[in-house]
Every structure is written in C-alpha cells, then in structure tokens.
Amino acid sequence: MALEMKVPSPGESITEVEIAEWLVEDGDYVEKDQAIAEVDSDKATLELPAEASGIITLKAEEGDAVAVGEVVCLIDTEAEKPGGSDDKKESKDGASNKEEENKDKAAPKTEEPSKSTTPAQKQDSHAKGSPSPAAKKILDEKGIDKKDVEGSGKDGRITKEDAVQAKASMGSPGKGKRGESKKKMSMLRRKVASRLVSVKNDTAMLTTFNEVDMQPIFNLRKKYKEEFKDKHGVGLGFMSFFTLAVVRALKQFPDVNSMIDGDHQVKFDYQDISIAVSGPKGLMVPVIRNAENLSFRGVEDEVKRLALRARDGKITVDEMTGGTFTITNGGVFGSMLSTPIINPPQSAILGMHNIVERPVAIDGHVEIRPIMYLALSYDHRIIDGKESVGFLVAVKEAIENPEELLMDNDVKRALEL
C-alpha cells in the first residue's frame, strides 16, 4: 500500500511552501517520524516527518514550490526493510545503466546546419543585439549595456532570459583567484527581503538616538548574577532589563505600541515584545507574550527558551507571529550604531549596540563609563517626534536607575532571591 504524504499547513494564511532539502534519497527505507525533508515557508523552516515506515518515492525536487495539501512523496508501507546495502547499490547501478541506455536511445540525431542561414547572414540581421522590451527593462535596472550581452533568440535577439542571466562587468581580471558561487535564496529569506523593501517604501521611517550609562546595570549584575543563576538556573542578562524598561516606556507612550490598519490606528493594552535572535536559517524574531506580566526571571526564561528553539530550528510560526514592538541587539556582533528597520506591521523597533568605555561628564568631572548607544526607528505617520524622543528617554531613565524604576527599590524581591 502506497501512503501519500501531503504538505501539512505550517500555520494560518500560509498556502505554499518550498522544499528546501530532502534528508533522504528516492528509494530509501524510512522509519515513522523520521525527518525526511526541510520545508521553507515565508515565516519559518520546518522539518517534515515520515508518517509511516516504508520505501519512499519522492514526488518533488529540492527548490520546488508546492501548495499546502499537495502530495510530495509516496511511502510503500508494505515494503520490507532491506537487510544490506549491496542489493541497493546493485539496483542503483542497474537503474543508472538503464537510464544511460534510455538516454542513448532518446538522444537526437545531429543535423547539418541549414545552408539557407549562414553566420554572415545572422551577423547582418538588424535583430542581432537588440533586446526585447522585457529584456531592455531588466538590463536598464541592472545597469548593463546591451553590447555586453550575447543574444540567444532568433537572429541574435536578446531575450528576457538572456537579460536575467546577464552579469555586470566586474572590471579587468585580477591575478588572484576570482571564484564565485550562486544559490537560490530560501523562501524565508526572499520573504524577509520583500518585507524590508516594503517597509522602506510604505512607511515614513525615522530614527532617533540616545546614549545610556550601563554602570548601574553592571553593578547589579556583578552583585547578584551568581545568586540569580544558582537559584533560577538562568543568567541575569541585559535583555531582561531592556525588556522591562521598554514595557514601562510603552505604557507611558502608547502610540509607540500601536500600528496602522487602513485608515485606523490600533493601540494595544498589552506588550508582546519581539526579540531578534540569530538562528541557523538567519535572523528570526520570536515573541515574548504579555511581557508586562513577567518578572526578571520570567523574561530571562523566555529569552533562553526562544533562543534555544531558534538555534535548534524548532521555532514555530506561532511563536514568531504577532508582537507589538521589537528589540534587536546588534551589539552582540560588535555594532556601535545602526538604524534598525521596523518589523512590520509594528510601528517601532529599539536597537541596542555594543558597550564601550567612554569619557563622560559626571557632576562636573570626567569619568570613564560603559556607554551604549540606543536607536529607535519609528513610523512617523502615527508616532510624532515628541513621543519617539520621550519613549527613548524613558528607556534611558529606567536603565540608568533600575532599582527605583524597575525594581521599586527592592532588588531582592524583584530578582526573586
């Protein structure tokens, strides 16, 4: 009996996925629940487990876009598990020999070129080197001169495919190695690219900056981080301080915790904080739900849980859906300052950066302090300068005075120690 395996729905509103990689070969024996493929949606990469044990027949190629519910492979559930690899190898060799024979039979006979059309005549054709309208548009976008493209169409005309494959000149060849590689972007990466371009085109994005003295946070972590870790099994990091500082600031400036829906502005009375984390498939943005109800321990637990799931490729679409505000930390990669791009449909994002010891004026004296630059990118269509600057100042105040503003002057209770 052949079991048809269909593409399951990865989440609401997703109608198509892409076969990123087959983890088995056609004709392999697979066990039930064995991961047989990785599939990309426009939100995440997921593993496809075998629904039964048996011999698998693949019905889609890597890179194919397949609709949710479409059959991608068959599993012969009545097939017995092979005892050795020699028979399999022999069958593969036999199959390859048959393929070669079929290729030989199917190979078309070469014919002499027609005498009616000579190379000289092709060169004289007015169509040679002329791009089609679609090809001309693509060449113009790439900044490539039509003289640098050899046409493969009739009489040497430059086709759309020629224009797509054309590459801009990289200058005179050097003396070293000049290799290059090319691979198709994953569906997730293509979707991210499309969304980022959309943000730049469809929002009135501005960025405001400030700096924050991290010394108070350093002092608290130095004093309590070991006790915190011993009791809760998780580190006391910077993210919990910034998450709770952002929650406090969002309550003060609700326009920053809103988004546009057509002609309406939607404000939220809860704070779902998206955090940008690096995974094997690139940057992912899981959501800490109802961060306003979490303690320092609760935030650190969630950050660790989501980061591990992203790293292991187990993050789900639901865990990355929603969010009312995003925090991204380029500082872990060494970024000093940047303008983070808004995570649509949200209206603002906070960028954290690296911490550098800098000379600053404290009560009329120059002191060396650990300083971090902060950046808030926001959609100016619904967030005014007053709100954006006020929000960032509120975050700065909370980070520079965490005991009073984030812990109600009771550090032990706030850290659950």
Side-chain angles (χ1 to χ4, degrees):
M1 174 182 172
L3 171 70
E4 294 183 338
M5 270 199 60
K6 300 178 180 179
V7 177
S9 175
E12 188 178 353
S13 79
I14 297 177
T15 60
E16 186 180 72
V17 299
E18 187 175 282
I19 305 296
E21 181 182 4
W22 282 110
L23 305 178
V24 296
E25 294 182 6
D26 193 59
D28 280 356
Y29 186 89
V30 299
E31 301 284 356
K32 183 180 179 181
D33 296 327
Q34 174 186 345
I36 60 174
E38 288 186 351
V39 295
D40 281 343
S41 73
D42 58 9
K43 293 183 177 178
T45 298
L46 306 170
E47 285 188 346
L48 186 65
E51 296 176 4
S53 299
I55 298 230
I56 192 168
T57 302
L58 307 184
K59 292 295 184 182
E61 301 288 337
E62 290 185 359
D64 283 357
V66 291
V68 169
E70 186 176 334
V71 176
V72 290
C73 67
L74 303 176
I75 299 179
D76 184 357
T77 57
E78 297 178 353
E80 295 183 2
K81 187 174 183 178
S85 59
D86 292 340
D87 294 340
K88 184 177 177 182
K89 181 179 179 183
E90 184 177 340
S91 65
K92 280 189 175 181
D93 292 342
S96 61
N97 288 336
K98 286 183 180 180
E99 287 179 5
E100 291 297 327
E101 291 176 9
N102 292 336
K103 285 181 181 178
D104 291 340
K105 290 179 182 178
K109 295 181 181 180
T110 57
E111 297 181 359
E112 293 293 327
S114 173
K115 293 182 181 179
S116 61
T117 305
T118 66
Q121 287 176 315
K122 284 188 177 181
Q123 289 176 358
D124 295 335
S125 170
H126 70 279
K128 182 175 176 63
S130 298
S132 67
K136 183 178 186 302
K137 181 180 179 182
I138 294 173
L139 292 178
D140 289 344
E141 290 174 350
K142 289 185 172 183
I144 299 176
D145 194 314
K146 65 180 182 180
K147 296 177 182 177
D148 298 328
V149 182
E150 186 171 344
S152 63
K154 185 178 180 181
D155 296 332
R157 178 179 288 276
I158 299 172
T159 65
K160 179 181 178 181
E161 183 63 24
D162 295 331
V164 170
Q165 297 297 329
K167 297 180 181 179
S169 173
M170 299 302 292
S172 302
K175 295 181 180 180
K177 293 182 179 180
R178 297 173 61 82
E180 61 181 62
S181 62
K182 182 179 181 180
K183 72 172 184 177
K184 186 177 181 180
M185 293 190 297
S186 68
M187 181 178 285
L188 174 61
R189 174 56 66 181
R190 298 199 304 271
K191 182 64 176 179
V192 168
S194 174
R195 283 162 64 90
L196 294 180
V197 171
S198 176
V199 170
K200 296 291 286 184
N201 292 337
D202 298 338
T203 66
M205 195 180 86
L206 290 179
T207 305
T208 185
F209 304 94
N210 214 319
E211 62 180 14
V212 59
D213 183 354
M214 296 292 291
Q215 191 63 57
I217 305 296
F218 274 38
N219 294 340
L220 283 171
R221 291 183 71 241
K222 183 178 180 180
K223 186 174 181 179
Y224 296 106
K225 68 177 182 180
E226 294 300 329
E227 187 179 354
F228 186 88
K229 187 172 184 179
D230 289 342
K231 182 165 184 178
H232 302 307
V234 65
L236 178 61
F238 296 121
M239 190 56 74
S240 55
F241 287 95
F242 276 94
T243 300
L244 296 180
V246 161
V247 167
R248 174 180 175 272
L250 289 175
K251 291 178 180 179
Q252 294 180 35
F253 299 93
D255 280 342
V256 183
N257 196 46
S258 68
M259 57 186 66
I260 291 179
D261 182 12
D263 293 333
H264 296 79
Q265 178 183 9
V266 182
K267 293 185 180 182
F268 304 95
D269 60 3
Y270 56 89
Q271 287 81 38
D272 282 356
I273 307 300
S274 305
I275 54 169
V277 297
S278 182
K281 297 292 183 178
L283 197 65
M284 297 182 177
V285 193
V287 182
I288 300 176
R289 309 285 182 191
N290 289 102
E292 74 278 5
N293 296 331
L294 297 180
S295 62
F296 282 84
R297 175 192 175 184
V299 173
E300 293 295 349
D301 280 340
E302 273 295 276
V303 170
K304 181 179 180 180
R305 183 184 71 85
L306 294 170
L308 288 176
R309 288 179 63 78
R311 184 196 67 186
D312 296 339
K314 296 180 179 179
I315 202 81
T316 65
V317 173
D318 181 68
E319 288 172 315
M320 295 192 293
T321 300
T324 62
F325 184 89
T326 295
I327 301 175
T328 180
N329 185 6
V332 296
F333 305 111
S335 171
M336 182 190 77
L337 189 63
S338 67
T339 56
I341 193 165
I342 297 170
N343 179 22
Q346 297 171 18
S347 299
I349 179 172
L350 178 71
M352 299 164 57
H353 299 89
N354 63 358
I355 301 168
V356 178
E357 289 191 340
R358 305 182 190 279
V360 294
I362 305 293
D363 297 328
H365 300 283
V366 175
E367 295 186 19
I368 303 299
R369 293 292 184 96
I371 301 297
M372 176 191 288
Y373 293 144
L374 298 179
L376 178 75
S377 292
Y378 61 98
D379 190 345
H380 205 354
R381 292 178 300 170
I382 56 173
I383 302 174
D384 292 331
K386 178 182 178 181
E387 281 72 31
S388 63
V389 173
F391 172 89
L392 202 52
V393 168
V395 172
K396 172 185 171 68
E397 290 172 346
I399 296 298
E400 293 185 342
N401 190 7
E403 291 190 42
E404 179 182 346
L405 300 181
L406 299 180
M407 300 176 168
D408 294 326
N409 292 313
D410 192 339
V411 178
K412 286 273 189 178
R413 184 177 62 82
L415 297 181
E416 302 175 44
L417 298 177

